[in-house]
Amino acid sequence: DTVREALQHIRRLNQRTARVSTQLLALSRAQTVPETVEALDLCERVPHWVRMRVPEAIRDGIDLGYRGSPRPLRVLGNGAQLQEALDNLIDNALRYAGRGATVTVGVHALDDNDVELYVEDNGPGVPEDVMPRLGERFFRAPGTTASGTGLGLAIAHEAVEHFGGRLTFLNRAGGGL
């Protein structure tokens, strides 16, 4: 029994080390201006990227959905970096919203010809005094019990800003982020 527990502990440490290594590589990639920049139709790509995360959401007891525009909405960017940013935002929502939560990824046009891609949840949200620090490298909100590296939102922030985008965090009225 003691050997089994030790092996499980080693496995968890190994998984955490692999996750930190993967996220450090992703952060490095996000800081580098990619060679490939293209017009990306978010209404085509985002639903596919969300579908890839549905089995994980189901496993965690979270309702993950997509809400989008019926017409194409294009932005200039790099598909791999944008997917990395969105994956980190979805990961953050799945990790912190909690079992039984609803997470929605959406794309819609704004009045000024900009496009908004958002991830929202109905979880506990984030204390207002912590909000300005979201997106800082290695920052994790005090009292957080979910595992994480504190790099996911920093990766998303770097990737989005490379293409003139802006990543903002807001608490939702009624709960969630």
Side-chain angles (χ1 to χ4, degrees), residues 89-105:
L89 295 171
I90 292 172
D91 185 59
N92 197 72
L94 295 179
R95 186 177 303 268
Y96 297 106
R99 191 165 197 79
T102 298
V103 174
T104 303
V105 178

Side-chain angles (χ1 to χ4, degrees), residues 13-134:
L13 290 175
N14 189 35
Q15 288 171 334
R16 179 161 171 75
T17 301
R19 178 165 171 73
V20 170
S21 297
T22 300
Q23 290 222 294
L24 285 171
L25 287 170
L27 181 60
S28 178
R29 281 192 307 270
Q31 292 172 325
T32 305
V33 177
E35 295 176 17
T36 307
V37 175
E38 58 188 320
L40 304 168
D41 178 2
L42 296 183
C43 292
E44 176 186 316
R45 294 198 183 205
V46 171
H48 172 71
W49 295 336
V50 171
R51 275 193 302 274
M52 291 170 35
R53 302 300 299 269
V54 167
E56 176 186 356
I58 291 170
R59 182 197 71 213
D60 293 343
I62 296 173
D63 179 11
L64 174 62
Y66 169 77
R67 184 179 314 136
S69 168
R71 64 182 179 90
L73 293 175
R74 291 182 179 83
V75 297
L76 284 178
N78 176 276
Q81 277 195 346
L82 186 58
Q83 182 179 3
E84 183 79 40
L86 182 60
D87 267 344
N88 278 287
L89 295 171
I90 292 172
D91 185 59
N92 197 72
L94 295 179
R95 186 177 303 268
Y96 297 106
R99 191 165 197 79
T102 298
V103 174
T104 303
V105 178
V107 178
H108 69 265
L110 299 175
D111 292 338
D112 55 4
N113 291 327
D114 282 339
V115 175
E116 182 178 55
L117 168 60
Y118 63 90
V119 178
E120 66 181 17
D121 66 66
N122 63 351
V126 176
E128 288 299 326
D129 61 322
V130 170
M131 197 70 74
R133 298 206 53 203
L134 293 180

